[in-house]
Amino acid sequence: MRVAIAGSNGLACSIADAITSNTYHQIIIFSRAPKPQLSARGWQVVVVNYDEYHRQELAFKLAGVTVVLSVISGPAQIALIDAAAQAGVRRFAPAEFEGPAALRPQQDALDRGKRAALERLQYYQTRGMQYTSFVCGILYERFAPGGMYASRIGLGSGIGAEGDYLMNITQKKAQIPFDNNGQPAIVSLTSAEDVGKFVAGAISLPQWPLELRMRGDRMNVSSLVQVAEMVRGAGFQKAQYNSQRMQLALQHAQAAQNIQQQLRVITLMATANGRFDFASPNLNSLVAVTPTSFQAWLQEAWKDR
């Protein structure tokens, strides 16, 4: 089976690694620019242009591809979906890789074109192209030294640096959002490496449901911080956030026109509202992947620090 991976960042590479290590599928990497470091790994890199004027060229480059795995967002992803449908691609997985879509608000500051992509895929589903959303919750790499950016993940998110979400482990600081019941919010989490393995295993499933949910761990944010404290051998400075405090923090960020801080607070509020948690990780039982626990991953990530 020929699989196209759109994107060349850290998560795309984790998926490519898992496919080439665990399956016999042939992969091609779609990138906006040459990537000699990826070509050196034996991967076929195809330079593409997602502008609307290049749709025919993009569809031509998708000829013979059975599955498209997208790790790009916005208008580029819409162009990719259209070209995939034109080329007769059988299956498409958009750049989701967070919580379930049903848990997002109608007006979503964190959307980055995800709703539009799903609507486009729903349209093409009626014309024979299957799609699924890979749901993984929070990536462990948010809590790596340097944050997600250190792994070249979430480069366009604006909030992928260490400390942008819940914890700054280097500074031993944490924010703990509480849900509407006054309890620490619960999150589901998965490592990027395990996401790659789950996705690789899902490619050949007989049917793709609308969501394939994977999970490496699940805990409330207080327990998450306790794991980090144990790994670092020191207590953290903790700030607790109820809905009133989060709303006030958002107002301050808006008044200061601080877009990055607004995104941080909105993500904190989304966590309190349960956006990054889910029941029934159906993909866990469908593929032979034993995910790494958050504690084991964090210990490895910080062992030499």
PDB file of all heavy atoms in Angstrom, residues 50-75:
ATOM      1  N   TYR A  50       0.803  23.746  -2.340  1.00  0.00           N
ATOM      2  CA  TYR A  50      -0.606  23.597  -1.987  1.00  0.00           C
ATOM      3  C   TYR A  50      -1.468  24.757  -2.481  1.00  0.00           C
ATOM      4  O   TYR A  50      -2.662  24.814  -2.170  1.00  0.00           O
ATOM      5  CB  TYR A  50      -0.751  23.456  -0.471  1.00  0.00           C
ATOM      6  CG  TYR A  50      -0.121  22.194   0.090  1.00  0.00           C
ATOM      7  CD1 TYR A  50       1.049  22.244   0.840  1.00  0.00           C
ATOM      8  CD2 TYR A  50      -0.697  20.953  -0.145  1.00  0.00           C
ATOM      9  CE1 TYR A  50       1.629  21.097   1.354  1.00  0.00           C
ATOM     10  CE2 TYR A  50      -0.131  19.790   0.368  1.00  0.00           C
ATOM     11  CZ  TYR A  50       1.031  19.870   1.111  1.00  0.00           C
ATOM     12  OH  TYR A  50       1.604  18.728   1.630  1.00  0.00           O
ATOM     13  N   ASP A  51      -0.896  25.701  -3.235  1.00  0.00           N
ATOM     14  CA  ASP A  51      -1.689  26.802  -3.767  1.00  0.00           C
ATOM     15  C   ASP A  51      -2.791  26.257  -4.676  1.00  0.00           C
ATOM     16  O   ASP A  51      -2.610  25.231  -5.357  1.00  0.00           O
ATOM     17  CB  ASP A  51      -0.821  27.771  -4.564  1.00  0.00           C
ATOM     18  CG  ASP A  51       0.142  28.543  -3.660  1.00  0.00           C
ATOM     19  OD1 ASP A  51      -0.046  28.487  -2.434  1.00  0.00           O
ATOM     20  OD2 ASP A  51       1.079  29.179  -4.186  1.00  0.00           O
ATOM     21  N   GLU A  52      -3.903  26.958  -4.736  1.00  0.00           N
ATOM     22  CA  GLU A  52      -5.047  26.470  -5.516  1.00  0.00           C
ATOM     23  C   GLU A  52      -4.713  26.307  -6.995  1.00  0.00           C
ATOM     24  O   GLU A  52      -5.315  25.484  -7.693  1.00  0.00           O
ATOM     25  CB  GLU A  52      -6.240  27.409  -5.354  1.00  0.00           C
ATOM     26  CG  GLU A  52      -5.993  28.838  -5.784  1.00  0.00           C
ATOM     27  CD  GLU A  52      -7.235  29.705  -5.617  1.00  0.00           C
ATOM     28  OE1 GLU A  52      -8.307  29.295  -6.108  1.00  0.00           O
ATOM     29  OE2 GLU A  52      -7.121  30.777  -5.010  1.00  0.00           O
ATOM     30  N   TYR A  53      -3.746  27.064  -7.479  1.00  0.00           N
ATOM     31  CA  TYR A  53      -3.391  26.987  -8.896  1.00  0.00           C
ATOM     32  C   TYR A  53      -2.584  25.727  -9.224  1.00  0.00           C
ATOM     33  O   TYR A  53      -2.325  25.445 -10.385  1.00  0.00           O
ATOM     34  CB  TYR A  53      -2.607  28.226  -9.312  1.00  0.00           C
ATOM     35  CG  TYR A  53      -3.348  29.515  -9.038  1.00  0.00           C
ATOM     36  CD1 TYR A  53      -2.947  30.368  -8.022  1.00  0.00           C
ATOM     37  CD2 TYR A  53      -4.490  29.854  -9.782  1.00  0.00           C
ATOM     38  CE1 TYR A  53      -3.637  31.550  -7.757  1.00  0.00           C
ATOM     39  CE2 TYR A  53      -5.186  31.024  -9.517  1.00  0.00           C
ATOM     40  CZ  TYR A  53      -4.763  31.867  -8.509  1.00  0.00           C
ATOM     41  OH  TYR A  53      -5.453  33.020  -8.244  1.00  0.00           O
ATOM     42  N   HIS A  54      -2.196  24.984  -8.197  1.00  0.00           N
ATOM     43  CA  HIS A  54      -1.377  23.784  -8.413  1.00  0.00           C
ATOM     44  C   HIS A  54      -2.133  22.504  -8.060  1.00  0.00           C
ATOM     45  O   HIS A  54      -1.531  21.476  -7.821  1.00  0.00           O
ATOM     46  CB  HIS A  54      -0.090  23.869  -7.586  1.00  0.00           C
ATOM     47  CG  HIS A  54       0.849  24.943  -8.032  1.00  0.00           C
ATOM     48  ND1 HIS A  54       0.702  26.248  -7.655  1.00  0.00           N
ATOM     49  CD2 HIS A  54       1.956  24.893  -8.833  1.00  0.00           C
ATOM     50  CE1 HIS A  54       1.683  26.974  -8.187  1.00  0.00           C
ATOM     51  NE2 HIS A  54       2.440  26.182  -8.916  1.00  0.00           N
ATOM     52  N   ARG A  55      -3.463  22.571  -8.018  1.00  0.00           N
ATOM     53  CA  ARG A  55      -4.226  21.399  -7.599  1.00  0.00           C
ATOM     54  C   ARG A  55      -4.019  20.220  -8.552  1.00  0.00           C
ATOM     55  O   ARG A  55      -3.886  19.075  -8.104  1.00  0.00           O
ATOM     56  CB  ARG A  55      -5.711  21.704  -7.494  1.00  0.00           C
ATOM     57  CG  ARG A  55      -6.503  20.509  -6.949  1.00  0.00           C
ATOM     58  CD  ARG A  55      -7.994  20.673  -7.062  1.00  0.00           C
ATOM     59  NE  ARG A  55      -8.464  21.774  -6.238  1.00  0.00           N
ATOM     60  CZ  ARG A  55      -9.753  22.120  -6.168  1.00  0.00           C
ATOM     61  NH1 ARG A  55     -10.658  21.443  -6.867  1.00  0.00           N
ATOM     62  NH2 ARG A  55     -10.128  23.134  -5.414  1.00  0.00           N
ATOM     63  N   GLN A  56      -3.998  20.488  -9.852  1.00  0.00           N
ATOM     64  CA  GLN A  56      -3.806  19.398 -10.803  1.00  0.00           C
ATOM     65  C   GLN A  56      -2.459  18.715 -10.588  1.00  0.00           C
ATOM     66  O   GLN A  56      -2.352  17.489 -10.613  1.00  0.00           O
ATOM     67  CB  GLN A  56      -3.892  19.927 -12.239  1.00  0.00           C
ATOM     68  CG  GLN A  56      -5.302  20.208 -12.729  1.00  0.00           C
ATOM     69  CD  GLN A  56      -6.135  18.947 -12.820  1.00  0.00           C
ATOM     70  OE1 GLN A  56      -7.255  18.895 -12.290  1.00  0.00           O
ATOM     71  NE2 GLN A  56      -5.621  17.915 -13.463  1.00  0.00           N
ATOM     72  N   GLU A  57      -1.441  19.532 -10.360  1.00  0.00           N
ATOM     73  CA  GLU A  57      -0.098  18.987 -10.113  1.00  0.00           C
ATOM     74  C   GLU A  57      -0.086  18.160  -8.824  1.00  0.00           C
ATOM     75  O   GLU A  57       0.522  17.090  -8.764  1.00  0.00           O
ATOM     76  CB  GLU A  57       0.904  20.131 -10.018  1.00  0.00           C
ATOM     77  CG  GLU A  57       2.327  19.706  -9.714  1.00  0.00           C
ATOM     78  CD  GLU A  57       3.245  20.896  -9.495  1.00  0.00           C
ATOM     79  OE1 GLU A  57       2.849  22.026  -9.817  1.00  0.00           O
ATOM     80  OE2 GLU A  57       4.360  20.683  -8.984  1.00  0.00           O
ATOM     81  N   LEU A  58      -0.785  18.657  -7.796  1.00  0.00           N
ATOM     82  CA  LEU A  58      -0.846  17.947  -6.522  1.00  0.00           C
ATOM     83  C   LEU A  58      -1.578  16.618  -6.692  1.00  0.00           C
ATOM     84  O   LEU A  58      -1.135  15.579  -6.175  1.00  0.00           O
ATOM     85  CB  LEU A  58      -1.552  18.817  -5.484  1.00  0.00           C
ATOM     86  CG  LEU A  58      -1.579  18.335  -4.033  1.00  0.00           C
ATOM     87  CD1 LEU A  58      -0.168  18.109  -3.498  1.00  0.00           C
ATOM     88  CD2 LEU A  58      -2.323  19.348  -3.153  1.00  0.00           C
ATOM     89  N   ALA A  59      -2.682  16.637  -7.441  1.00  0.00           N
ATOM     90  CA  ALA A  59      -3.426  15.399  -7.692  1.00  0.00           C
ATOM     91  C   ALA A  59      -2.564  14.405  -8.473  1.00  0.00           C
ATOM     92  O   ALA A  59      -2.602  13.191  -8.206  1.00  0.00           O
ATOM     93  CB  ALA A  59      -4.710  15.702  -8.452  1.00  0.00           C
ATOM     94  N   PHE A  60      -1.784  14.904  -9.402  1.00  0.00           N
ATOM     95  CA  PHE A  60      -0.892  14.030 -10.177  1.00  0.00           C
ATOM     96  C   PHE A  60       0.115  13.342  -9.256  1.00  0.00           C
ATOM     97  O   PHE A  60       0.416  12.150  -9.416  1.00  0.00           O
ATOM     98  CB  PHE A  60      -0.170  14.844 -11.248  1.00  0.00           C
ATOM     99  CG  PHE A  60       0.819  14.052 -12.052  1.00  0.00           C
ATOM    100  CD1 PHE A  60       0.396  13.197 -13.064  1.00  0.00           C
ATOM    101  CD2 PHE A  60       2.184  14.144 -11.786  1.00  0.00           C
ATOM    102  CE1 PHE A  60       1.316  12.457 -13.807  1.00  0.00           C
ATOM    103  CE2 PHE A  60       3.099  13.408 -12.516  1.00  0.00           C
ATOM    104  CZ  PHE A  60       2.668  12.558 -13.531  1.00  0.00           C
ATOM    105  N   LYS A  61       0.644  14.076  -8.288  1.00  0.00           N
ATOM    106  CA  LYS A  61       1.634  13.511  -7.372  1.00  0.00           C
ATOM    107  C   LYS A  61       1.007  12.519  -6.397  1.00  0.00           C
ATOM    108  O   LYS A  61       1.721  11.732  -5.773  1.00  0.00           O
ATOM    109  CB  LYS A  61       2.359  14.630  -6.625  1.00  0.00           C
ATOM    110  CG  LYS A  61       3.271  15.443  -7.541  1.00  0.00           C
ATOM    111  CD  LYS A  61       3.960  16.598  -6.827  1.00  0.00           C
ATOM    112  CE  LYS A  61       4.911  17.313  -7.785  1.00  0.00           C
ATOM    113  NZ  LYS A  61       5.604  18.473  -7.161  1.00  0.00           N
ATOM    114  N   LEU A  62      -0.315  12.553  -6.288  1.00  0.00           N
ATOM    115  CA  LEU A  62      -1.029  11.600  -5.431  1.00  0.00           C
ATOM    116  C   LEU A  62      -1.465  10.345  -6.192  1.00  0.00           C
ATOM    117  O   LEU A  62      -2.072   9.448  -5.598  1.00  0.00           O
ATOM    118  CB  LEU A  62      -2.262  12.263  -4.814  1.00  0.00           C
ATOM    119  CG  LEU A  62      -1.995  13.222  -3.650  1.00  0.00           C
ATOM    120  CD1 LEU A  62      -3.204  14.110  -3.392  1.00  0.00           C
ATOM    121  CD2 LEU A  62      -1.623  12.449  -2.389  1.00  0.00           C
ATOM    122  N   ALA A  63      -1.149  10.281  -7.468  1.00  0.00           N
ATOM    123  CA  ALA A  63      -1.546   9.117  -8.269  1.00  0.00           C
ATOM    124  C   ALA A  63      -0.954   7.843  -7.667  1.00  0.00           C
ATOM    125  O   ALA A  63       0.239   7.781  -7.355  1.00  0.00           O
ATOM    126  CB  ALA A  63      -1.079   9.291  -9.710  1.00  0.00           C
ATOM    127  N   GLY A  64      -1.783   6.830  -7.471  1.00  0.00           N
ATOM    128  CA  GLY A  64      -1.331   5.563  -6.914  1.00  0.00           C
ATOM    129  C   GLY A  64      -1.288   5.510  -5.401  1.00  0.00           C
ATOM    130  O   GLY A  64      -0.984   4.457  -4.823  1.00  0.00           O
ATOM    131  N   VAL A  65      -1.580   6.631  -4.739  1.00  0.00           N
ATOM    132  CA  VAL A  65      -1.594   6.671  -3.274  1.00  0.00           C
ATOM    133  C   VAL A  65      -2.931   6.137  -2.768  1.00  0.00           C
ATOM    134  O   VAL A  65      -3.994   6.526  -3.263  1.00  0.00           O
ATOM    135  CB  VAL A  65      -1.349   8.107  -2.761  1.00  0.00           C
ATOM    136  CG1 VAL A  65      -1.651   8.217  -1.266  1.00  0.00           C
ATOM    137  CG2 VAL A  65       0.091   8.525  -3.047  1.00  0.00           C
ATOM    138  N   THR A  66      -2.885   5.258  -1.780  1.00  0.00           N
ATOM    139  CA  THR A  66      -4.106   4.690  -1.192  1.00  0.00           C
ATOM    140  C   THR A  66      -4.557   5.467   0.040  1.00  0.00           C
ATOM    141  O   THR A  66      -5.750   5.673   0.254  1.00  0.00           O
ATOM    142  CB  THR A  66      -3.867   3.225  -0.791  1.00  0.00           C
ATOM    143  OG1 THR A  66      -3.401   2.499  -1.926  1.00  0.00           O
ATOM    144  CG2 THR A  66      -5.140   2.576  -0.273  1.00  0.00           C
ATOM    145  N   VAL A  67      -3.584   5.888   0.855  1.00  0.00           N
ATOM    146  CA  VAL A  67      -3.876   6.545   2.129  1.00  0.00           C
ATOM    147  C   VAL A  67      -3.081   7.831   2.231  1.00  0.00           C
ATOM    148  O   VAL A  67      -1.879   7.855   1.938  1.00  0.00           O
ATOM    149  CB  VAL A  67      -3.520   5.626   3.325  1.00  0.00           C
ATOM    150  CG1 VAL A  67      -3.799   6.334   4.645  1.00  0.00           C
ATOM    151  CG2 VAL A  67      -4.282   4.315   3.251  1.00  0.00           C
ATOM    152  N   VAL A  68      -3.737   8.911   2.655  1.00  0.00           N
ATOM    153  CA  VAL A  68      -3.058  10.169   2.960  1.00  0.00           C
ATOM    154  C   VAL A  68      -3.179  10.428   4.458  1.00  0.00           C
ATOM    155  O   VAL A  68      -4.280  10.393   5.017  1.00  0.00           O
ATOM    156  CB  VAL A  68      -3.642  11.353   2.177  1.00  0.00           C
ATOM    157  CG1 VAL A  68      -3.017  12.671   2.652  1.00  0.00           C
ATOM    158  CG2 VAL A  68      -3.403  11.181   0.684  1.00  0.00           C
ATOM    159  N   LEU A  69      -2.050  10.678   5.091  1.00  0.00           N
ATOM    160  CA  LEU A  69      -1.993  11.052   6.507  1.00  0.00           C
ATOM    161  C   LEU A  69      -1.503  12.487   6.568  1.00  0.00           C
ATOM    162  O   LEU A  69      -0.370  12.781   6.196  1.00  0.00           O
ATOM    163  CB  LEU A  69      -1.044  10.127   7.266  1.00  0.00           C
ATOM    164  CG  LEU A  69      -1.318   8.624   7.141  1.00  0.00           C
ATOM    165  CD1 LEU A  69      -0.195   7.823   7.787  1.00  0.00           C
ATOM    166  CD2 LEU A  69      -2.666   8.258   7.770  1.00  0.00           C
ATOM    167  N   SER A  70      -2.361  13.380   7.022  1.00  0.00           N
ATOM    168  CA  SER A  70      -2.022  14.808   7.002  1.00  0.00           C
ATOM    169  C   SER A  70      -1.536  15.285   8.366  1.00  0.00           C
ATOM    170  O   SER A  70      -2.151  15.011   9.392  1.00  0.00           O
ATOM    171  CB  SER A  70      -3.241  15.625   6.587  1.00  0.00           C
ATOM    172  OG  SER A  70      -2.956  17.010   6.680  1.00  0.00           O
ATOM    173  N   VAL A  71      -0.432  16.024   8.324  1.00  0.00           N
ATOM    174  CA  VAL A  71       0.062  16.695   9.531  1.00  0.00           C
ATOM    175  C   VAL A  71       0.251  18.178   9.205  1.00  0.00           C
ATOM    176  O   VAL A  71       1.118  18.848   9.748  1.00  0.00           O
ATOM    177  CB  VAL A  71       1.380  16.057  10.029  1.00  0.00           C
ATOM    178  CG1 VAL A  71       1.662  16.457  11.481  1.00  0.00           C
ATOM    179  CG2 VAL A  71       1.309  14.536   9.970  1.00  0.00           C
ATOM    180  N   ILE A  72      -0.578  18.673   8.267  1.00  0.00           N
ATOM    181  CA  ILE A  72      -0.589  20.088   7.927  1.00  0.00           C
ATOM    182  C   ILE A  72      -1.985  20.625   8.207  1.00  0.00           C
ATOM    183  O   ILE A  72      -2.930  19.858   8.382  1.00  0.00           O
ATOM    184  CB  ILE A  72      -0.204  20.327   6.449  1.00  0.00           C
ATOM    185  CG1 ILE A  72      -1.205  19.640   5.505  1.00  0.00           C
ATOM    186  CG2 ILE A  72       1.212  19.829   6.183  1.00  0.00           C
ATOM    187  CD1 ILE A  72      -0.992  19.947   4.045  1.00  0.00           C
ATOM    188  N   SER A  73      -2.138  21.937   8.245  1.00  0.00           N
ATOM    189  CA  SER A  73      -3.427  22.512   8.616  1.00  0.00           C
ATOM    190  C   SER A  73      -3.789  23.671   7.699  1.00  0.00           C
ATOM    191  O   SER A  73      -3.030  24.034   6.798  1.00  0.00           O
ATOM    192  CB  SER A  73      -3.382  22.987  10.079  1.00  0.00           C
ATOM    193  OG  SER A  73      -2.361  23.954  10.258  1.00  0.00           O
ATOM    194  N   GLY A  74      -4.960  24.245   7.937  1.00  0.00           N
ATOM    195  CA  GLY A  74      -5.385  25.430   7.214  1.00  0.00           C
ATOM    196  C   GLY A  74      -5.714  25.170   5.756  1.00  0.00           C
ATOM    197  O   GLY A  74      -6.046  24.042   5.353  1.00  0.00           O
ATOM    198  N   PRO A  75      -5.620  26.198   4.918  1.00  0.00           N
ATOM    199  CA  PRO A  75      -5.952  26.073   3.492  1.00  0.00           C
ATOM    200  C   PRO A  75      -5.139  24.999   2.769  1.00  0.00           C
ATOM    201  O   PRO A  75      -5.633  24.372   1.829  1.00  0.00           O
ATOM    202  CB  PRO A  75      -5.637  27.465   2.936  1.00  0.00           C
ATOM    203  CG  PRO A  75      -5.777  28.385   4.109  1.00  0.00           C
ATOM    204  CD  PRO A  75      -5.298  27.597   5.289  1.00  0.00           C
TER     205      PRO A  75
END
